[in-house]
Amino acid sequence: MVNTLAGIDIGELARIVKGYGAYFGGAVGFPIAFRDRELEVGRLVDRLVGVRVVYGPLGCGKSTLLMNLARALSEVRSDVIVIYVNFEEKGFMNAVRAYIPGLAGGVGDSIIRAVERDLGPVLDRVGLGAVVGVGRLFMDIIRGVSDDAVIRDKYVVLIFDELDKWYRSMLNAPDNAQVGYGPIEGEVMSYAEHFENFPTMDKVQGLSVVFGFSDQGAVNVVRKYGGKGLLEGLLLWYIPKADFMDVLNEVTTKAKPSTSIDTELLWQLTGGNLRELARIVFNNDWSIEKWLRDVIIKLSGVNGVLAFLEEAGRYGLNIAEARAHGLGDAARMAFDELLSMNVFLNVYDYELRLSELPSEPWVRDVNTGNVITILPQLPAYYWVLRVMAGKRSIGVEPSDVIREITENV
């Protein structure tokens, strides 16, 4: 198998990806322009072979990017078969999108039947045991298609999005509950094993299996097995500051705030997270203070967080790297709990970053300029914890957080 999709026009592909647009605010929102992501599109298609885990903080736009890319690939090339599955969706028809240009003679129908057979039970939430259908999918497609010659010179791209969220929902696990990701790990590694051990992969021109994950626990599979069977992790981050400001301009014309808004403050708190921006707009009527009080500061209820904060405060509150300074057992446990709650996210040094990361205090060490290896999933968490550590107290008000930002940025 070759590693790249030869001759693809990345500029044209990125143009089509952006042309599908994005949606702001869920059911109560509206369509907006899809911005940036040219770099990410190019890096995602530079190698169409192997297993890749695209991960990033909640609200980074991962699902929109993967869905738009799935559609766009089939438009620029007729030799690409793309199957996109979003496990957060209910029911087979909503969750699965198949893009199979140029396949005649019932081959496309055979592929769809294989997808429905393997993934239907998973998407219908019949039980945890059904998750094994994900790892079976590609081999069943190859075996189930009657005319191998039709598919032999095709690129097959399988995209499994939000499998980790589906798994947590099946366990009825709250956001702050730690769960084991054995079944998810098994699904990812089943494909890695295929690449290492099964020559049947030469029946296609190229195979790329992409998992889109948000949960820190699921992402850990990359840290544990990275490199095996061409497995690698790809970090996706929020949109850059200039594009975020463009989104703000567009949003304010469609959901007008009743008072003036501080765009720099919104950037420092959300870092380009459009999901949280939508929560501020629609759930909190543009009130940053209400959002901070009701959503963000509640993280102070984490067990043992004070022990962590007291230790972290001794090091000038480089909050994301505090654990590296040798925190005590209580502080380490508190920090691990913050990781399990997706307040922080591990960024592993050895993998490709799909996105350029901003030069902000919640991303880069102020002394070296290097990217911090443990990042806050949302900049607001960084600022709230920074205030807590400075006060040695979890009694923080929104005004404290806003003052900390305005005095230090």
Side-chain angles (χ1 to χ4, degrees), residues 18-39:
K18 295 174 73 170
Y20 286 120
Y23 206 84
F24 181 79
V28 298
F30 42 76
I32 61 172
F34 188 95
R35 292 172 171 84
D36 191 53
R37 301 310 192 193
E38 288 89 348
L39 178 65

Side-chain angles (χ1 to χ4, degrees), residues 36-37 39-40 43 235 237-240 353-358 364:
D36 191 53
R37 301 310 192 193
L39 178 65
E40 288 83 351
R43 287 178 173 174
L235 175 66
W237 202 251
Y238 305 123
I239 60 174
R353 292 181 185 134
L354 287 180
S355 307
E356 296 294 335
L357 301 180
R364 298 182 185 273

Side-chain angles (χ1 to χ4, degrees), residues 1-21:
M1 287 186 288
V2 299
N3 287 353
T4 59
L5 189 57
I8 193 168
D9 186 335
I10 299 298
E12 175 67 4
L13 180 63
R15 185 191 67 79
I16 297 173
V17 167
K18 295 174 73 170
Y20 286 120

Side-chain angles (χ1 to χ4, degrees), residues 134-136 185-195 198 211:
V134 177
R136 240 185 5 237
E185 182 178 298
E187 293 311 301
V188 175
M189 294 313 299
S190 69
Y191 282 102
E193 293 284 349
H194 283 316
F195 281 107
F198 292 94
F211 289 89

Side-chain angles (χ1 to χ4, degrees), residues 24-307:
F24 181 79
V28 298
F30 42 76
I32 61 172
F34 188 95
R35 292 172 171 84
D36 191 53
R37 301 310 192 193
E38 288 89 348
L39 178 65
E40 288 83 351
V41 167
R43 287 178 173 174
L44 274 170
V45 300
D46 70 350
R47 194 195 82 180
L48 283 184
V49 63
V51 184
R52 311 178 99 177
V53 173
V54 176
Y55 75 98
L58 296 165
C60 66
K62 169 177 51 61
S63 293
T64 301
L65 173 63
L66 292 178
M67 181 65 205
N68 286 8
L69 179 64
R71 300 168 70 183
L73 277 172
S74 66
E75 287 199 29
V76 298
R77 294 289 290 260
S78 61
D79 58 350
V80 178
I81 299 168
V82 185
I83 296 172
Y84 170 88
V85 186
N86 189 317
F87 287 87
E88 274 203 305
E89 297 284 352
K90 298 292 193 295
F92 182 81
M93 295 304 294
N94 291 331
V96 177
R97 301 288 186 273
Y99 304 96
I100 311 174
L103 284 185
V107 176
D109 291 339
S110 296
I111 292 174
I112 292 296
R113 283 196 298 272
V115 175
E116 189 166 15
R117 179 182 63 247
D118 290 342
L119 294 188
V122 184
L123 297 168
D124 289 338
R125 274 47 176 188
V126 300
L128 288 173
V131 76
V132 296
V134 177
R136 240 185 5 237
L137 175 59
F138 174 73
M139 296 309 295
D140 281 359
I141 287 175
I142 294 298
R143 292 170 182 146
V145 174
S146 56
D147 185 2
D148 281 353
V150 176
I151 201 172
R152 183 180 298 277
D153 59 351
K154 305 294 181 183
Y155 294 88
V156 179
V157 181
L158 306 178
I159 302 176
F160 302 122
D161 197 12
E162 309 291 17
L163 184 60
D164 53 334
K165 288 187 179 180
W166 172 90
Y167 180 69
R168 288 190 75 93
S169 71
M170 289 296 296
L171 294 174
N172 292 314
D175 291 341
N176 62 348
Q178 297 189 43
V179 300
Y181 281 92
I184 302 298
E185 182 178 298
E187 293 311 301
V188 175
M189 294 313 299
S190 69
Y191 282 102
E193 293 284 349
H194 283 316
F195 281 107
E196 287 210 340
N197 300 317
F198 292 94
T200 51
M201 291 303 174
D202 63 9
K203 289 190 175 182
V204 294
Q205 183 77 359
L207 170 67
S208 179
V209 184
V210 179
F211 289 89
F213 287 156
S214 299
D215 192 280
Q216 178 66 59
V219 169
N220 284 341
V221 67
V222 180
R223 190 176 196 182
K224 186 175 180 181
Y225 297 106
K228 182 173 183 179
L230 303 178
L231 172 65
E232 67 177 355
L234 309 174
L235 175 66
L236 178 69
W237 202 251
Y238 305 123
I239 60 174
K241 186 175 184 178
D243 293 286
F244 177 73
M245 294 303 177
D246 284 344
V247 170
L248 271 179
N249 288 333
E250 182 176 357
V251 170
T252 54
T253 64
K254 298 178 180 180
K256 296 182 183 298
S258 56
T259 59
S260 62
I261 59 172
D262 187 333
T263 56
E264 178 63 27
L265 181 61
L266 279 170
W267 164 254
Q268 288 297 329
L269 288 168
T270 67
N273 185 322
L274 300 188
R275 179 179 297 181
E276 290 303 318
L277 177 63
R279 186 182 293 191
I280 293 170
V281 172
F282 296 114
N283 295 12
N284 297 277
D285 193 24
W286 284 99
S287 173
I288 293 174
E289 292 83 357
K290 186 175 185 298
W291 171 74
L292 279 170
R293 180 181 298 108
D294 296 346
V295 178
I296 304 301
I297 294 176
K298 284 186 176 181
L299 65 87
S300 63
V302 177
N303 293 333
V305 72
L306 278 179

